[in-house]
Amino acid sequence: MHSIFEEIHIQQKQNLPFVIYRKPDIKTIVGVFQEDDHLYFSESLKEKAFVFTPFSGLPVIFPLDKCRVKYNSVYFKNAFEVNENKIENSFLEAEKNHFKELVKNGVTLINDGVFDKIVFSRKQIINLDTFNLEKVFEQVLYKYPNAFCYCWFHPKIGMWIGASPEKLFSAKEATFQTMSLAGTQPYKGTEDVVWKNKERKEQEYVTSFILNQLKKEVETITASDCYTTRAGNLLHLRTDIQGTLKPNSEFKKTIDILHPTPAVCGLPKDLAKVYIEENEGYNREFYTGYLGEINHDFNTNEIATNLFVNLRCMKIVNQQAHIFVGCGITKESDPDAEWEETVNKSKIMRQVL
């Protein structure tokens, strides 16, 4: 991957925006290098561009006509296995207590009928002695071949790195695909596992929401059976959803229906979003937003859209990594168990560091 990192070094010297990424199960890294440092936003999502959207706010885009595009094959010269048991947990007791209280209050509100489900998250800060972008990104690619892996940078926003297992939406011509991904447990050598009612219910909420909301905007829609899927050191419940779009359907309207999904926000969506922003105690920024290609497949130059939810991610700030993790809360949630779920999820990014 040396050649594409030469491009990155040039871009960094000029303090210009870039993104490098690899789509799931594809062996090519795409590099999109913006030729100015302007912060471009999109209100319509009609541009050909790479988009990066916060949990709340306007999408930031790298427009195709303002960028040069480079490609690189994936190979690993520095990748290595990390013993998860040697990864130390580092957090303040006050952080843990705040998160557990948040979960406890969420369960109460669900039992009171305010929410069906709500998703809470937190940020964990890791001090870095050194940071080598090429080595870290190689680790991300190596450990998560089935994820959307990326490194995104803009001098006016910062650097983000992630490996998302969750597709938000993809479309080519009249066909579309999305997925419902929820429920989590550690991977322990097999995908043949038993799921508790809590996780199954959590996943059903997401699936029902997507199906019911998209039915209004699409021509046809079908869903697979729910199944277990692996993402790094974690297992999730997944349902694949696909169908055909109506003629002249509005792409942005479809995305606004999906984002943020109950997998990262809650139900009812608008009420859960307000509660999260008022009570989580920090700004999610681009965590649980979405990112990817709009109206242009950078691998094939076809007209297509490929968007992913920004999960399993971190922001690099000076000599620190800000790691973002969360979990879905239902009436059966236990604060201690939900805290442990966030700890397990944080290992994904801590391993690659």
Side-chain angles (χ1 to χ4, degrees), residues 127-158:
N127 293 319
L128 304 174
D129 295 327
T130 60
F131 177 76
N132 183 309
L133 175 56
E134 185 171 358
K135 289 182 178 179
V136 168
F137 194 63
E138 276 192 347
Q139 280 295 108
V140 173
L141 294 173
Y142 175 68
K143 296 194 72 65
Y144 306 103
N146 303 320
F148 180 84
C149 300
Y150 77 92
C151 173
W152 184 97
F153 170 77
H154 196 293
K156 296 173 182 176
I157 293 176

Side-chain angles (χ1 to χ4, degrees), residues 90-314:
S90 176
F91 55 84
L92 299 174
E93 197 64 28
E95 294 175 7
K96 183 176 181 179
N97 292 336
H98 170 74
F99 188 80
K100 288 172 62 176
E101 189 66 20
L102 199 60
V103 173
K104 181 181 176 183
N105 292 339
V107 172
T108 298
L109 290 169
I110 291 169
N111 285 326
D112 289 345
V114 178
F115 303 114
D116 295 317
K117 171 192 174 179
I118 192 163
V119 179
F120 292 132
S121 69
R122 65 184 180 90
K123 180 170 71 174
Q124 183 170 348
I125 297 176
I126 306 294
N127 293 319
L128 304 174
D129 295 327
T130 60
F131 177 76
N132 183 309
L133 175 56
E134 185 171 358
K135 289 182 178 179
V136 168
F137 194 63
E138 276 192 347
Q139 280 295 108
V140 173
L141 294 173
Y142 175 68
K143 296 194 72 65
Y144 306 103
N146 303 320
F148 180 84
C149 300
Y150 77 92
C151 173
W152 184 97
F153 170 77
H154 196 293
K156 296 173 182 176
I157 293 176
M159 177 177 287
W160 286 73
I161 299 172
S164 174
E166 183 173 352
K167 178 186 291 184
L168 177 71
F169 185 82
S170 67
K172 183 178 177 182
E173 296 178 346
T175 63
F176 75 90
Q177 294 178 330
T178 183
M179 68 170 66
S180 163
L181 192 76
T184 303
Q185 62 176 284
Y187 173 70
K188 297 180 180 178
T190 179
E191 295 182 21
D192 185 16
V193 296
V194 175
W195 290 93
K196 295 179 182 178
N197 185 62
K198 182 261 178 187
E199 285 82 14
R200 290 196 173 277
K201 198 70 178 174
E202 183 184 345
Q203 207 271 346
E204 286 171 10
Y205 279 131
V206 181
T207 303
S208 296
F209 171 84
I210 294 173
L211 290 173
N212 291 334
Q213 295 299 312
L214 283 185
K215 278 179 183 176
K216 308 168 188 175
E217 299 298 323
V218 302
E219 194 79 34
T220 64
I221 189 168
T222 60
S224 71
D225 292 334
C226 182
Y227 63 96
T228 301
T229 186
R230 181 184 173 190
N233 65 333
L234 299 175
L235 298 175
H236 304 288
L237 285 167
R238 171 173 165 174
T239 300
D240 297 319
I241 298 168
Q242 58 190 0
T244 55
L245 299 167
K246 289 181 179 178
N248 303 316
S249 62
E250 289 188 40
F251 168 58
K252 186 177 185 300
K253 190 173 182 180
T254 303
I255 298 304
D256 287 344
I257 286 172
L258 291 173
H259 170 70
T261 72
V264 299
C265 183
L267 285 172
K269 182 170 82 168
D270 293 341
L271 188 62
K273 191 167 182 284
V274 170
Y275 188 87
I276 287 166
E277 291 174 332
E278 291 180 351
N279 292 276
E280 271 190 338
Y282 84 107
N283 182 0
R284 288 190 180 187
E285 300 179 67
F286 289 84
Y287 170 62
T288 62
Y290 62 85
L291 73 164
E293 305 163 333
I294 52 171
N295 307 309
H296 184 76
D297 188 315
F298 284 77
N299 287 86
T300 65
N301 290 324
E302 297 174 296
I303 297 173
T305 292
N306 297 284
L307 299 176
F308 296 81
V309 183
N310 193 25
L311 302 173
R312 315 294 185 268
C313 62
M314 59 185 169

Side-chain angles (χ1 to χ4, degrees), residues 107 110-111 116 329-333:
V107 172
I110 291 169
N111 285 326
D116 295 317
I329 309 304
T330 69
K331 63 181 180 181
E332 296 170 315
S333 289

